[in-house]
Structure formats: structure tokens, C-alpha cells
């Protein structure tokens, strides 16, 4: 890393450009993103409420889904409110302090890594339920579920520690304009006056480790699931068993597809506008779609939602 020299001015605040090219349509974009954000909150809160109230859903699969919904609320709330403030020109809406920027990046990375591990835990749960149904209750007891969930959150929290520490050691001497709607690693590295080679390498290795570790668990779990399904003679039973995996597979495809594109790279992003679009997809669109995918593809969740929000249930109370 380059040494700090007295004639440099250390940046203490960043300016988030956001979507500068849509100035004329900023109110339209504000309405669009606000609607998606509110939908994300309502959908995920509804999932959490239903999982907590309906005793029929007190099973490991839905225990992990509750954690996933909690995570999605925090995940999207880290970036969207700040982006909305910048779109409508709130005083200081585009500004973020140096400490606030690193904190936002830490929390966003922490939650993203935790989601990877939670999706892997959910794949393991499906593997145990389909491949070892007779031992499922003993092997995936509540104590096991709690330990798995706690491990996901803990490892996710530890994931950004080294990358953020290395980021804090870089020198930012100006300009301080971040060409993104949140403090992501690539646009920040583009502003650093220091040698970012080590930081880029560590980011690549950490991202690769998280994605490979979680995706290997998912791939092995579903490999065993598909092998088991091939040996089920009844087509109806095969469809019934596979139907419990469809929603999870859809969520995994959406989330991992964009993450592999965005973060398993060794160089700073070259197409900023395209990266913004991809970032919008995995940080805003995906958290909004996940509850819909689970509720639309899962008869038990649809039934629980219907019971929870039906007029009869409220009258009965």
C-alpha cells in the first residue's frame, strides 16, 4: 500500500451518486423502489407472522424460512432507505460518512453471506427430509436447527471482518463520489489512492470461499435428492417430494446467479451502470420475490396465510 503523505486530504465523507442519469424520472424511480421496498417489508413480515402463529408450520423447513425472512428485511433496509432519500433530494440524502460507509458495507456483506449459509442449511434440511425420512425427526431436531441457524449468523458475521479491516487501511484522498447507490466494494476501491491489489485478492478469495462452501452443500444435497427421487417408483410420490424443493431451488437460482456474477471477480467493475442494475436485482428485487415464490409454490404456506388473514379467523378472535 502507498504511504500517506501530508499534502493529501483524507476523505471523511462520500457522496453516493445513485441513479444520476435518471434525473428527469427520479420521482418515477422513487415510487417504483419505494413500492418494492414496502412490498418486501409487508411480504416478509407476513411470512414471519404466519410462521410464528400457525402451529402447523412449526417444522425445521419453516424455522429456516422465518430466519430468511428476517434477514431479507434487514438486507434490503441497509441500502434502500438511503437510496430513496438520495432520489428525492433530501438534505444530506446522498452523503454518507466514512464510518457510515464502511458500516453499511460490513452489514450488507454480513447479511449476504448469512443468506448464502441459510440457503445451504435449508438445502440440507430438504436432503434429510427426502433421503432419510425415517430418521429426519431425530437428525434434524430443534436443537440441531437452532445450532445450524446460529452457525449461519455467526459465520456470516465473521465473513466481512478481514475485508472491511483491509478497506479501513486504504487511503481515500479524493474524489469522494461513489458511482453507486450504496457503499459497495468495487466503486470504493476505484476511489482509493492506495494499492488495492491485496484488498481485491482478499475480497475475491473470501467471496469465492463463501459461495463455494454454501453452493457445494446445496449441490451435494440436491444431487442426493435427485438420486433418491429417481429410485421412487411412484410418479405421484416423486412429484410430491420434489414440490417441496421447487421454491428453494428458485430462490437459490435467483440469489446465487447474481452473486456469482457480481463478486467472484478479481478486478474493479468496468460497467458501472450494468453492475447497478444487477445490484438492484439482488438487493431489492430478490428480497421482494422470495416470499412470493415460497407462498405461491407452497400449499402449506398459502393455506396458513389464508387462515391467518381470513375474516373468519379475525372474527373468531
Amino acid at each position: 500500500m502507498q504511504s500517506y503523505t501530508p499534502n493529501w486530504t483524507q476523505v471523511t465523507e462520500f457522496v453516493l451518486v445513485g441513479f444520476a442519469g435518471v434525473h428527469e424520472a427520479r420521482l418515477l424511480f422513487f415510487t417504483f423502489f419505494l413500492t418494492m421496498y414496502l412490498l418486501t417489508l409487508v411480504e416478509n413480515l407476513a411470512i414471519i407472522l404466519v410462521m410464528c402463529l400457525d402451529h402447523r408450520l412449526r417444522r425445521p423447513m419453516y424455522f429456516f424460512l422465518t430466519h430468511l425472512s428476517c434477514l431479507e428485511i434487514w438486507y434490503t433496509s441497509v441500502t434502500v432507505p438511503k437510496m430513496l432519500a438520495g432520489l428525492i433530494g433530501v438534505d444530506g440524502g446522498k452523503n454518507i460518512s466514512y464510518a457510515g460507509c464502511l458500516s453499511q458495507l460490513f452489514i450488507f456483506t454480513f447479511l449476504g453471506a448469512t443468506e448464502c449459509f441459510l440457503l445451504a442449511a435449508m438445502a440440507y434440511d430438504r436432503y434429510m427430509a427426502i433421503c432419510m425420512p425415517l430418521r429426519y425427526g431425530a437428525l434434524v431436531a430443534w436443537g440441531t436447527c437452532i445450532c445450524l441457524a446460529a452457525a449461519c449468523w455467526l459465520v456470516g458475521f465473521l465473513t466481512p471482518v478481514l475485508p472491511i479491516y483491509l478497506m479501513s487501511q486504504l487511503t481515500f484522498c479524493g474524489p469522494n463520489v461513489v458511482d453507486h447507490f450504496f457503499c459497495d466494494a468495487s466503486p470504493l476501491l476505484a476511489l482509493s489512492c492506495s494499492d488495492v491489489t491485496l484488498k481485491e485478492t482478499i475480497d475475491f478469495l473470501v467471496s469465492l470461499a463463501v459461495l463455494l462452501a454454501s453452493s457445494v452443500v446445496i449441490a451435494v444435497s440436491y444431487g442426493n435428492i435427485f438420486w433418491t427421487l429417481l429410485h421412487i417408483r411412484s410418479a405421484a410420490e416423486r412429484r410430491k417430494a420434489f414440490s417441496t424443493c421447487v421454491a428453494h431451488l428458485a430462490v437459490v437460482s435467483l440469489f446465487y446467479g447474481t452473486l456469482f456474477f457480481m463478486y467472484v471477480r478479481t478486478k474493479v467493475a468496468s460497467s458501472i451502470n450494468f453492475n447497478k442494475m444487477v445490484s438492484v436485482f439482488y438487493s431489492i428485487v430478490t428480497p421482494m420475490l422470495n416470499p412470493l415464490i415460497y407462498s405461491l409454490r407452497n400449499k402449506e404456506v398459502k393455506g396458513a396465510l389464508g387462515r391467518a388473514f381470513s375474516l373468519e379467523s379475525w372474527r373468531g378472535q
Side-chain angles (χ1 to χ4, degrees):
M1 294 184 183
Q2 296 177 358
S3 59
Y4 181 83
T5 56
N7 60 336
W8 285 353
T9 301
Q10 179 71 23
V11 170
T12 59
E13 186 178 69
F14 292 102
V15 178
L16 299 173
V17 170
F19 301 93
V22 298
H23 183 74
E24 297 297 327
R26 67 184 186 279
L27 290 179
L28 178 63
F29 270 70
F30 173 82
T31 304
F32 178 66
F33 288 129
L34 177 61
T35 301
M36 289 204 302
Y37 178 57
L38 292 177
L39 280 174
T40 300
L41 296 182
V42 171
E43 291 166 359
N44 283 288
L45 285 172
I47 292 289
I48 295 169
L49 180 65
V50 166
M51 300 300 169
C52 292
L53 294 180
D54 198 317
H55 65 89
R56 299 177 184 85
L57 301 183
R58 288 174 188 168
R59 301 204 301 274
M61 176 181 174
Y62 301 112
F63 170 79
F64 290 118
L65 183 55
T66 302
H67 279 262
L68 184 63
S69 291
C70 290
L71 188 148
E72 299 282 27
I73 291 172
W74 297 338
Y75 189 62
T76 192
S77 296
V78 172
T79 58
V80 176
K82 186 69 177 176
M83 179 190 68
L84 293 175
L87 276 173
I88 59 172
V90 173
D91 288 341
K94 290 182 177 291
N95 299 340
I96 186 169
S97 67
Y98 174 80
C101 192
L102 292 189
S103 297
Q104 186 185 55
L105 179 57
F106 181 95
I107 296 171
F108 190 79
T109 307
F110 153 48
L111 295 174
T114 302
E115 180 156 356
C116 288
F117 295 124
L118 271 175
L119 290 174
M122 294 171 77
Y124 171 76
D125 171 70
R126 290 298 83 208
Y127 157 69
M128 296 301 293
I130 294 174
C131 300
M132 301 182 183
L134 298 180
R135 301 174 59 196
Y136 177 69
L139 294 175
V140 190
W142 281 112
T144 304
C145 293
I146 292 170
C147 288
L148 278 174
C152 291
W153 286 99
L154 177 60
V155 178
F157 180 80
L158 295 176
T159 296
V161 170
L162 179 58
I164 296 302
Y165 169 75
L166 292 176
M167 182 73 81
S168 70
Q169 300 305 300
L170 298 179
T171 300
F172 295 90
C173 52
N176 67 336
V177 178
V178 179
D179 195 2
H180 213 307
F181 62 89
F182 70 98
C183 290
D184 202 4
S186 292
L188 283 176
L189 291 179
L191 298 179
S192 176
C193 305
S194 305
D195 180 5
V196 299
T197 304
L198 176 61
K199 173 70 171 91
E200 284 187 326
T201 303
I202 295 299
D203 281 356
F204 171 76
L205 293 176
V206 170
S207 300
L208 188 64
V210 169
L211 291 174
L212 283 183
S214 55
S215 60
V216 164
V217 172
I218 293 171
V220 171
S221 296
Y222 276 105
N224 282 284
I225 288 171
F226 292 142
W227 180 255
T228 300
L229 292 177
L230 289 175
H231 290 78
I232 297 177
R233 294 183 179 181
S234 170
E237 289 183 7
R238 278 200 304 269
R239 285 194 297 271
K240 182 179 178 181
F242 184 70
S243 66
T244 65
C245 304
V246 172
H248 181 259
L249 279 172
V251 170
V252 166
S253 300
L254 285 172
F255 189 70
Y256 276 80
T258 51
L259 283 187
F260 268 110
F261 173 81
M262 282 297 295
Y263 289 112
V264 184
R265 294 170 301 168
T266 56
K267 293 185 178 181
V268 176
S270 56
S271 178
I272 297 297
N273 288 330
F274 188 62
N275 287 336
K276 285 182 189 178
M277 292 173 59
V278 178
S279 297
V280 165
F281 192 82
Y282 72 76
S283 63
I284 303 175
V285 177
T286 301
M288 180 190 69
L289 291 179
N290 286 350
L292 290 176
I293 292 171
Y294 273 105
S295 60
L296 291 176
R297 295 295 310 180
N298 190 300
K299 292 181 180 178
E300 290 181 313
V301 175
K302 284 194 290 186
L305 285 169
R307 289 189 297 271
F309 296 102
S310 65
L311 289 174
E312 287 78 7
S313 65
W314 290 106
R315 287 170 182 166
Q317 294 178 9

